[in-house]
Amino acid sequence: MMDANEREIYRAAIHGDRDAFEMIIRTHSRTLFAIAYGILQNREEAEDAVQDALVKAWKSRWRVRNPEKFPAWLCMIARHRARDVFRKRPRVSQTDLEGVAAATPTIYAPDVANTSASLDRQLHSALAELPDLHRSALMLRYFEEMDYASIEKLLGISNGALRGILGRALASLRKQLRPALASLE
Amino acid sequence: MTLHDDIDTYLAADLHNELSADEQNKLHAHLVECATCRKLHQETKSMNNILEENLAAEKADPTFEQRMLASFRNRIPQRSGGLTKLIFDLMRLRSAQVTAVAAVLLGLVQVGRMVTGEGAAPARKLGYRDEHHFADRQLNAPFQRSADHSSAQASQLAAGRADALIASEENSFASAPAAPMTQGEKDKIIATEDRREFATKMAKAASAEAALAAQAKPAETPAVVANRKLIRNANVELEIASFDDVVQKITAFASEDGGFIATTSSNKQANGKLRGAVVVKILPENLDRFLQKIRGLGELKNQTLGTEDITKAYFDTDARLKNARVMEQRLIDMLKTKTGKVSDLLQVEKELGRVREDIEKMQGELKFWDSQVQFATVTISLAEKDMEEPAAFLLKERAQLALYAPDVEKVYNDIKALASPKTQITNAQLDRDNTGRVSARLSILIAPEESDAQIARVKTMGRVDNFQVQTERVAQGGTGMSQNARTKRDKVELNITISREEQEQAFQQTSLRIRTSAVDQKSKELRTLTEKQNGRVRSSTFSRDPDGREFANVSLRVPMKNYPALMESLNALGKVENVSVQRQDRTGAQIDEANAPADLSIQVYSQGNIVSHQSGLLATLRRTIAQSAGAIMWSLRMIGVAIAFLAPWVIALVALILIAKRVAQARRQR
């Protein structure tokens, strides 16, 4: 399952070994960032969320009983933290966002829409439509190139369910971006 | 579900390389067949590319981890962490958690118990108080009644004492209906206490009333006495200075008031004090005056006054007597006429005898009553002051003696041999423990006249370490002090402990060293010297170390009086060094200093011969090499030092020469 060395590091961190915990920060903060970014879709906010999550994890590390669950637990904290940030975000009403999204194609000329900037914007609005679990899974896959099993473990998804999630996520994105894709080809 | 329906999943997994070989084959087979899926496959591929391109830009930058670490360190400053770590570890332990929960529960239970316990206590108190009030209310009624009763009594007894009233009132209260109420013992006690308090108050009031009545009464009393038959008697208890004087005075008072002394009795206590009683008969009308006079004779301890009204019984008896007289007269008349049968006459005679007997009895009764009524009876109990003064004192002497003796058993037997009728050994005990230490304890009772001589004799049997005498004066037949009581010496109790001299702590400790060439011989000499000075060698050791030095450690003990002589003689053995003397002055102790033991610990030693026992060729060679190696190392060090000194000068000299050569060269070229 998990190699003994890694396990020992988690155990030490749980028992208050700062060096071990910093080691975990080095190895895991990117995945945490991916998860937070998946939820927040904003780099600065995601970074803050990861920082908060790490501090919180350090303070309540004694709650973890099984060292093997430590990474999953970290991810959970990061996810909760990101959701909190998302909820506390000064509300830009949904209609406004849609208005902006709807307005863009009319403002820019069709050939401008073909540019990568436009595609980028469309991609983000399509991502925003997805459930945040799907987004987090996508980010872990595309940021960190993790295999399905690891992602499942980190996100606490049952074995084999990730396939369906990613499949549906990709299909949904594909449908949203079909015009852009068509024009790209 | 067919592959076609689930094509999205398969396509994504294919792109992410998460399909098994089997699944991959199936997918490819399907893609060949199905055009729709092929199209989707194409689209998904480009979608994947877009994602890869776009999201790569959003990835965390390379310094991300560093930033995370820095912010973490910033926000959680490094702490010493010993305690927090411990607490964290404790919190993780299941047993610690269980204990904590148990402790909290226990605390809660305790708090609950305290709360309920305290809640219950005041409630009980309240209830009790209510009952008490109830009791008071209940009691008030009899108080009213008894108040009336006591004022009546007060008017009856002209100069009555309050004490008597209290006594009678207490009796009446005891039978009052309030007493057997359904309350606890405590309540009853409180109630009686309240009553007592009330009674004393009432008694004060009553005595005031009585004083008033005493002024008003004297004129009235004779009239009352005239038609009523009252028996009055009084008991007085007095504490006086001298019995005989007081009896004389009482006689005088009695004759003044038309009375007489009926009986006197007295007995003498062991301490010479008299106690006794005088019974005085006095005219009832003078009784109160007489009592007043008597009170002046000494300290009044107790007084009771009693009155018995026998009016009804007296006149009943009187009437019956009159009837009996008439009966007698009639019977006598019958006999005089002498008519009728002889048997009838005998009957009459018998009846007459019975009637006359009755008449005599009744006359005697009336006479007794007359005498009782005519004279009031005053019983005066007299006791001289300081009755409790002790008659004699007993001097009890207890002595503790601790002895040190060389032969405990011998002394023990010697002391036992002292036994005689006047010297009794009550307890003797000889202990020997497994290390051979012997000690003995004896308790002796000695007749007072022999005690000093015997104690002195015992003291000579060993060295006295400790002697204590304790004298106690015990009063007999009383307490307190007395100036004229006799003092008697009791038997002296002597407790002796005997220990072996060895166990005694030395009075003075000396340690010294003697340097000599012949250790063995000198230590033997030391032994004889010690014996000459009446001392004993307690232990000795002899040792020789590898260098050939010899040591003999001798520790010995001599009596203090021989100590200077021994020290003097030690000089003959060799050079005396390092003398240190330690003396233990026991302050306040009277100790037999001349015989007290002095300990000496002496080390006799010789300077070893310097020749080593390692004298072989190899050893010599090794030593030589070692020495020469040392010498070479030393010279090397010296050379180093010399170079350090000279080097700068050499360098400076060479430099100077070089410069001079250059200058000379330059001149030549020019």
Side-chain angles (χ1 to χ4, degrees):
Chain A
M1 279 277 278
M2 187 180 278
D3 84 301
N5 195 15
E6 211 179 345
R7 200 190 141 91
E8 182 51 40
I9 285 173
Y10 294 141
R11 205 196 57 75
I14 288 166
H15 282 77
D17 186 342
R18 248 187 108 97
D19 293 341
F21 196 81
E22 286 183 4
M23 187 62 162
I24 292 167
I25 293 177
R26 282 197 192 91
T27 53
H28 282 72
S29 53
R30 267 173 196 278
T31 56
L32 298 184
F33 176 79
I35 289 165
Y37 183 81
I39 290 161
L40 291 164
Q41 298 285 307
N42 179 312
R43 289 178 59 118
E44 283 76 23
E45 278 182 336
E47 205 170 311
D48 288 347
V50 171
Q51 283 178 7
D52 292 348
L54 288 171
V55 169
K56 190 166 181 243
W58 171 255
K59 280 179 180 166
S60 54
R61 61 188 184 278
W62 49 272
R63 290 196 197 159
V64 184
R65 203 151 274 290
N66 185 355
E68 290 191 12
K69 302 249 171 75
F70 193 81
W73 176 78
L74 259 181
C75 292
M76 195 185 73
I77 287 182
R79 234 156 70 207
H80 287 319
R81 182 67 213 149
R83 291 228 179 92
D84 283 351
V85 171
F86 185 78
R87 241 177 274 134
K88 282 174 195 156
R89 208 183 246 176
R91 273 252 176 263
V92 183
S93 71
Q94 202 65 43
T95 48
D96 277 1
L97 273 177
E98 274 170 13
V100 170
T104 34
T106 50
I107 288 169
Y108 295 104
D111 48 321
V112 182
N114 283 348
T115 61
S116 62
S118 150
L119 183 72
D120 196 22
R121 205 170 296 120
Q122 284 182 40
L123 178 65
H124 276 286
S125 65
L127 279 172
E129 298 285 314
L130 292 175
D132 50 18
L133 181 67
H134 291 210
R135 279 206 300 267
S136 294
L138 276 175
M139 297 312 151
L140 284 175
R141 174 68 214 175
Y142 286 100
F143 280 7
E144 304 304 326
E145 272 119 26
M146 287 170 92
D147 59 16
Y148 281 18
S150 307
I151 295 173
E152 276 168 356
K153 211 188 276 174
L154 285 184
L155 292 179
I157 303 168
S158 62
N159 220 1
L162 188 68
R163 255 196 202 194
I165 287 171
L166 281 180
R168 260 171 281 140
L170 276 182
S172 160
L173 287 176
R174 192 180 64 211
K175 277 171 203 155
Q176 294 261 339
L177 295 180
R178 188 164 280 157
L181 282 176
S183 65
L184 216 66
E185 281 159 11
Chain B
M1 194 183 272
T2 60
L3 201 150
H4 180 79
D5 293 329
D6 204 17
I7 188 68
D8 287 339
T9 311
Y10 273 88
L11 289 175
D14 182 43
L15 286 170
H16 296 149
N17 288 325
E18 292 281 341
L19 283 180
S20 64
D22 189 23
E23 283 170 324
Q24 227 162 7
N25 288 340
K26 268 195 206 160
L27 175 69
H28 287 192
H30 179 72
L31 285 179
V32 171
E33 285 166 17
C34 179
T36 335
C37 287
R38 261 208 305 283
K39 179 139 196 300
L40 284 179
H41 178 59
Q42 214 44 53
E43 276 182 9
T44 309
K45 244 188 188 167
S46 52
M47 187 65 232
N48 188 34
N49 285 339
I50 289 172
L51 277 174
E52 265 172 5
E53 279 167 24
N54 275 280
L55 293 181
E58 302 290 339
K59 243 169 110 169
D61 55 61
T63 58
F64 177 73
E65 280 97 338
Q66 280 310 314
R67 279 207 305 282
M68 289 296 112
L69 269 180
S71 85
F72 177 74
R73 282 180 189 150
N74 232 356
R75 288 169 69 171
I76 311 266
Q78 189 94 38
R79 259 175 301 178
S80 56
L83 189 68
T84 36
K85 187 170 182 287
L86 186 77
I87 289 168
F88 276 128
D89 285 345
L90 267 179
M91 280 165 113
R92 287 179 50 78
L93 272 176
R94 176 121 325 153
S95 56
Q97 288 169 355
V98 168
T99 316
V101 167
V104 167
L105 280 179
L106 212 73
L108 279 174
V109 165
Q110 205 59 38
V111 165
R113 197 179 287 169
M114 254 167 67
V115 167
T116 50
E118 281 199 350
R124 244 196 341 262
K125 240 181 194 170
L126 212 67
Y128 164 74
R129 195 173 285 177
D130 275 347
E131 276 173 12
H132 188 68
H133 282 314
F134 178 65
D136 281 353
R137 257 180 273 128
Q138 286 272 345
L139 278 169
N140 279 340
F143 278 164
Q144 290 300 318
R145 242 179 291 140
S146 63
D148 296 341
H149 173 65
S150 59
S151 60
Q153 245 183 340
S155 56
Q156 216 172 31
L157 308 178
R161 275 274 299 174
D163 301 30
L165 272 172
I166 293 167
S168 68
E169 264 174 19
E170 265 180 22
N171 286 342
S172 74
F173 284 137
S175 58
M181 275 191 300
T182 56
Q183 280 151 21
E185 281 284 300
K186 215 173 170 185
D187 289 7
K188 271 189 192 168
I189 289 163
I190 288 165
T192 27
E193 268 170 16
D194 283 350
R195 270 184 238 136
R196 205 178 286 254
E197 211 176 278
F198 186 76
T200 41
K201 267 187 215 158
M202 281 313 298
K204 271 180 196 163
S207 63
E209 263 180 71
L212 277 174
Q215 290 174 341
K217 277 290 151 75
E220 214 179 321
T221 316
V224 173
V225 169
N227 46 16
R228 291 190 79 84
K229 297 288 179 188
L230 296 174
I231 299 176
R232 307 190 68 192
N233 46 44
N235 284 311
V236 182
E237 229 174 87
L238 284 176
E239 195 180 82
I240 50 168
S242 159
F243 187 82
D244 295 328
D245 288 357
V246 170
V247 171
Q248 274 180 11
K249 276 181 191 158
I250 288 172
T251 317
F253 291 149
S255 52
E256 263 174 40
D257 289 330
F260 58 91
I261 290 184
T263 55
T264 48
S265 66
S266 66
N267 60 38
K268 203 166 191 174
Q269 305 285 106
N271 54 5
K273 300 287 176 181
L274 279 169
R275 184 194 285 279
V278 180
V279 179
V280 180
K281 294 288 185 182
I282 197 124
L283 290 176
E285 55 269 30
N286 295 340
L287 175 64
D288 301 317
R289 195 159 18 124
F290 179 69
L291 287 178
Q292 291 283 7
K293 283 182 192 166
I294 281 178
R295 267 190 219 174
L297 293 176
E299 198 188 330
L300 186 70
K301 287 280 182 189
N302 191 8
Q303 173 176 310
T304 54
L305 254 174
T307 307
E308 197 186 343
D309 192 346
I310 50 153
T311 315
K312 190 172 174 287
Y314 186 89
F315 286 113
D316 279 358
T317 312
D318 198 42
R320 270 177 27 231
L321 180 63
K322 274 173 191 157
N323 283 342
R325 286 242 170 86
V326 173
M327 182 75 162
E328 185 194 17
Q329 197 56 50
R330 218 186 280 163
L331 288 171
I332 290 168
D333 288 347
M334 256 186 211
L335 280 180
K336 275 182 185 163
T337 53
K338 285 188 183 174
T339 54
K341 284 184 277 183
V342 178
S343 60
D344 288 345
L345 286 177
L346 277 174
Q347 192 74 35
V348 172
E349 198 102 18
K350 209 177 175 185
E351 186 63 25
L352 184 62
R354 196 187 58 79
V355 171
R356 278 190 174 152
E357 203 179 310
D358 277 358
I359 290 172
E360 270 162 32
K361 217 190 265 173
M362 281 187 274
Q363 274 177 336
E365 210 170 323
L366 286 179
K367 244 184 221 162
F368 171 74
W369 275 338
D370 280 338
S371 75
Q372 291 281 303
V373 172
Q374 193 185 357
F375 286 106
T377 311
V378 183
T379 312
I380 309 166
S381 308
L382 297 169
E384 288 189 351
K385 265 185 183 135
D386 301 324
M387 279 310 280
E388 298 300 312
E389 194 172 85
F393 287 109
L394 200 60
L395 269 184
K396 283 191 175 171
E397 213 171 291
R398 218 170 279 140
Q400 304 270 356
L401 178 62
L403 283 181
Y404 281 113
D407 186 349
V408 174
E409 225 164 315
K410 183 178 167 294
V411 175
Y412 175 75
N413 289 327
D414 284 353
I415 293 174
K416 272 176 91 175
L418 291 176
S420 70
K422 291 197 167 180
T423 308
Q424 291 170 3
I425 295 175
T426 55
N427 184 18
Q429 194 182 338
L430 184 73
D431 297 323
R432 183 192 298 274
D433 68 8
N434 52 7
T435 55
R437 294 208 308 192
V438 185
S439 65
R441 270 198 297 272
L442 290 115
S443 299
I444 311 178
L445 274 180
I446 314 172
E449 61 272 21
E450 280 206 355
S451 64
D452 293 337
Q454 292 286 38
I455 291 173
R457 203 173 304 158
V458 174
K459 275 183 179 175
T460 58
M461 291 181 180
R463 235 181 56 65
V464 178
D465 176 54
N466 190 354
F467 180 60
Q468 288 179 348
V469 182
Q470 187 188 350
T471 312
E472 195 185 349
R473 224 162 90 114
V474 181
Q476 284 191 316
T479 53
M481 306 237 308
S482 171
Q483 285 175 339
N484 41 17
R486 283 170 302 119
T487 306
K488 217 174 81 185
R489 276 186 81 184
D490 197 13
K491 277 186 179 138
V492 178
E493 191 185 320
L494 176 65
N495 291 311
I496 308 171
T497 32
I498 313 166
S499 320
R500 266 190 77 192
E501 235 168 37
E502 298 298 305
Q503 286 145 243
E504 189 181 0
Q505 220 186 349
F507 179 69
Q508 183 168 312
Q509 283 174 324
T510 310
S511 77
L512 53 87
R513 282 154 67 91
I514 299 174
R515 200 174 73 195
T516 177
S517 49
V519 173
D520 201 18
Q521 188 208 334
K522 294 293 180 186
S523 55
K524 269 178 199 142
E525 267 175 45
L526 179 61
R527 199 177 275 269
T528 57
L529 272 177
T530 310
E531 268 152 24
K532 206 188 284 171
Q533 294 299 347
N534 225 348
R536 271 173 310 105
V537 173
R538 303 179 83 190
S539 72
S540 58
T541 60
F542 179 82
S543 65
R544 190 199 302 266
D545 77 357
D547 291 340
R549 285 189 295 188
E550 289 176 327
F551 297 92
N553 287 310
V554 182
S555 86
L556 49 91
R557 175 171 275 197
V558 285
M560 273 302 282
K561 60 185 175 205
N562 295 343
Y563 174 77
L566 181 69
M567 287 298 276
E568 199 66 34
S569 59
L570 287 181
N571 285 328
L573 295 177
K575 194 169 154 32
V576 176
E577 297 170 334
N578 299 1
V579 180
S580 82
V581 179
Q582 190 187 354
R583 193 183 157 106
Q584 295 191 329
D585 279 317
R586 299 174 213 170
T587 46
Q590 288 191 328
I591 113 160
D592 179 11
E593 210 173 293
N595 284 318
D599 275 359
L600 282 97
S601 78
I602 300 170
Q603 188 180 55
V604 185
Y605 73 104
S606 67
Q607 297 281 37
N609 31 8
I610 295 160
V611 178
S612 168
H613 60 285
Q614 279 189 326
S615 51
L617 180 66
L618 265 175
T620 313
L621 203 64
R622 196 164 61 229
R623 269 204 305 281
T624 313
I625 291 166
Q627 276 172 7
S628 53
I632 289 165
M633 286 314 288
W634 183 83
S635 61
L636 268 176
R637 209 162 69 229
M638 284 305 114
I639 289 164
V641 170
I643 288 169
F645 266 111
L646 292 177
W649 300 111
V650 173
I651 291 166
L653 202 67
V654 170
L656 261 178
I657 290 167
L658 279 177
I659 290 167
K661 268 189 180 169
R662 283 271 171 84
V663 170
Q665 220 170 0
R667 251 194 217 148
R668 231 181 285 139
Q669 278 172 3
R670 213 190 299 153

